[in-house]
Amino acid sequence: VVNDLEVRGLRLVFKVKSTLKPDPNNLDLRIFNLSPASRAKLSAAAAAPVVLVAGHKGTAQVIFSGRARTIDHLREGASWVTHVQSGDGDQAFTKLSAISFAAGTRATDVAIALAKDLGVEAGDAIARLRRGDFTGAREVFLQGFSASGRSVRDFDRVAKVLGLEWSIQGGVLQLLEPGKGTQEAAYELAPDTGLIGSPDHGAPGPNGEPPLLKVKCLLNGGIRPGRVVSLRSSARSGFYVVDQ
């Protein structure tokens, strides 16, 4: 669905990259042979909402939700190809803040104010900041805190003080402690639930980070960054947090 145009039955080619990093998740979508009227409608849809639903029979789920960055119509042989590039939570990266906090303000209070200023849905992030159920929740800015400029930059500074990692998933702010997943039930991934082949480790990270375990499976919108996966295979089993 792009803006209010729902596309079914046409050939779609897409690539989605979602990660636990603060940078926006991305969608590159190609729609083949939209009608001239539909192409004209999308040409006027700047920053249109984009929702991609895909999967196997009976298991279709939202794979991506965001806003269009660009929409182009390209002629390729006998076909018209509509190329949609979209980002998840892009609006947060253009928001500006100008707010100051007095000496002794709790870091969680600063984070709550900045989270509200990001321009995306807060989900349970604000409730969690209020509960303070994480290691850095007692941190205080003894000399106050001043936020001026891009909201995400200042929110990132405060999140690091609190020892939290943040990202935007489906337009919703997500806060996690490093190495920990969301509160959702672990998704069981095994050969009989979509696992393809055997898991294997990639190369270690550039700064000494441990290597990620790479897993291939059938398309499944329930497996998202931050979700815990209960992996079961002949080569390796255990609980893992989805990184990307």
Side-chain angles (χ1 to χ4, degrees):
V1 180
V2 183
N3 212 19
D4 59 353
L5 178 67
E6 182 173 313
V7 179
R8 292 177 180 267
L10 296 181
R11 183 181 177 221
L12 304 175
V13 176
F14 61 88
K15 181 177 182 179
V16 174
K17 183 174 182 180
S18 304
T19 78
L20 275 181
K21 293 181 171 58
D23 304 315
N25 298 330
N26 296 306
L27 164 69
D28 190 284
L29 169 66
R30 291 159 65 86
I31 307 170
F32 287 76
N33 294 319
L34 281 174
S35 69
S38 294
R39 294 200 303 271
K41 190 174 185 180
L42 292 190
S43 294
V50 179
V51 179
L52 175 67
V53 178
H56 299 270
K57 188 174 181 179
T59 65
Q61 293 175 291
V62 174
I63 303 296
F64 180 90
S65 176
R67 288 189 174 272
R69 292 170 176 160
T70 60
I71 301 177
D72 298 297
H73 307 291
L74 313 170
R75 191 65 184 257
E76 294 186 1
S79 298
W80 276 101
V81 180
T82 298
H83 185 204
V84 181
Q85 297 181 81
S86 180
D88 179 3
D90 278 0
Q91 63 271 31
F93 289 79
T94 60
K95 286 279 291 182
L96 302 177
S97 296
I99 185 170
S100 297
F101 300 87
T105 301
R106 294 189 308 168
T108 50
D109 290 336
V110 176
I112 288 170
L114 291 173
K116 292 178 178 179
D117 215 31
L118 286 177
V120 297
E121 186 180 336
D124 66 351
I126 289 178
R128 183 172 191 196
L129 289 167
R130 286 178 175 149
R131 289 196 307 269
D133 57 350
F134 51 91
T135 306
R138 296 189 179 184
E139 294 294 331
V140 172
F141 288 109
L142 297 177
Q143 297 180 348
F145 186 92
S146 177
S148 177
R150 291 201 308 146
S151 304
V152 290
R153 181 197 62 190
D154 292 310
F155 185 80
D156 188 63
R157 287 167 55 199
V158 179
K160 287 176 179 174
V161 169
L162 293 171
L164 296 174
E165 295 178 341
W166 70 276
S167 62
I168 297 172
Q169 305 296 335
V172 179
L173 178 64
Q174 179 172 278
L175 288 175
L176 295 173
E177 291 184 83
K180 296 186 178 180
T182 66
Q183 296 300 306
E184 301 168 276
Y187 187 90
E188 294 189 14
L189 188 57
D192 56 352
T193 59
L195 180 66
I196 299 172
S198 299
D200 72 306
H201 282 101
N207 299 313
E209 297 102 337
L212 296 179
L213 187 70
K214 294 185 176 182
V215 177
K216 183 181 289 187
C217 67
L218 297 178
L219 185 64
N220 191 317
I223 300 177
R224 302 179 301 276
R227 183 86 181 258
V228 176
V229 168
S230 175
L231 181 65
R232 176 168 50 85
S233 75
S234 57
R236 184 175 294 273
S237 297
F239 291 91
Y240 296 86
V241 177
V242 178
D243 181 82
Q244 62 181 317

